[in-house]
């Protein structure tokens, strides 16, 4: 499970840095993140400023309930976006944060999800 988190961190590192620099919300020194895990079963994640700079913390419950690197990347990218947009230290949730939380819960909350059960959908949605 932790190797999956390492793969996702490596996969997101450069695209997140490019986006951070393009948006110009932070200095180039602030466009780096370290992803950590917290060995607790809760389905939770957060962005924070740590001793070594920008941190994203993913709880083991997220690793247990995401079914692919893509699903885990969605959660990690959401937390990185808090750093990019300088949401750290803001009080309360923005609409975007609330929608992100709901989307994340929808993705990781389906324990019966099976990638093999996915059906192709026609272009017209039928």
């Amino acid at each position: 499970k932790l190797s999956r988190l390492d793969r996702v961190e490596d996969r997101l590192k450069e695209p997140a840095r490019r986006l951070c620099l393009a948006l110009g919300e932070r200095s180039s020194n602030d466009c780096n993140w370290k992803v950590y895990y917290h060995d607790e079963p809760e389905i939770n994640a957060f962005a924070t400023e740590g001793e070594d700079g920008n941190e994203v913390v993913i709880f083991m419950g997220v690793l247990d309930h995401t079914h692919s690197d893509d699903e885990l990347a969605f959660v990690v990218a959401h937390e990185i976006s808090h750093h990019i947009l300088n949401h750290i230290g803001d009080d309360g949730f923005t609409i975007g944060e609330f929608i992100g939380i709901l989307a994340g819960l929808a993705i990781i909350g389906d324990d019966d999800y099976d990638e093999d059960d996915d059906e192709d959908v026609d272009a017209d949605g039928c």
Side-chain angles (χ1 to χ4, degrees):
K1 290 179 186 177
L2 294 180
S3 63
R4 189 160 50 106
L5 186 59
D6 290 339
R7 282 193 312 270
V8 165
E9 180 180 13
D10 288 344
R11 176 177 159 193
L12 292 175
K13 187 176 292 184
E14 190 54 34
R17 182 171 171 70
R18 283 194 311 264
L19 178 61
C20 178
L21 293 171
L23 291 174
E25 294 283 331
R26 302 175 69 86
S27 74
S28 61
N29 294 339
D30 292 336
C31 290
N32 294 301
W33 303 270
K34 180 64 183 150
V35 179
Y36 297 95
Y37 83 97
H38 189 43
D39 195 14
E40 294 291 330
E42 289 91 27
I43 300 172
N44 196 9
F46 63 90
T48 188
E49 296 291 333
E51 292 179 15
D52 296 325
N54 301 321
E55 296 178 1
V56 169
V57 179
I58 305 296
F59 283 64
M60 191 57 72
V62 172
L63 293 171
D64 290 338
H65 289 86
T66 52
H67 304 285
S68 68
D69 284 6
D70 289 340
E71 290 178 0
L72 181 58
F74 177 84
V75 176
V76 174
H78 173 86
E79 297 308 325
I80 289 173
S81 73
H82 290 300
H83 284 292
I84 291 173
L85 298 173
N86 287 319
H87 290 172
I88 309 302
D90 289 350
D91 294 329
F93 291 110
T94 66
I95 293 291
E97 290 171 307
F98 184 69
I99 290 169
I101 289 168
L102 291 178
L105 289 173
I107 288 172
I108 64 177
D110 183 5
D111 285 335
D112 294 328
Y113 175 82
D114 184 354
E115 286 183 24
D116 296 331
D117 290 342
D118 286 349
E119 296 179 19
D120 291 333
V121 177
D122 293 338
D124 62 3
C126 297

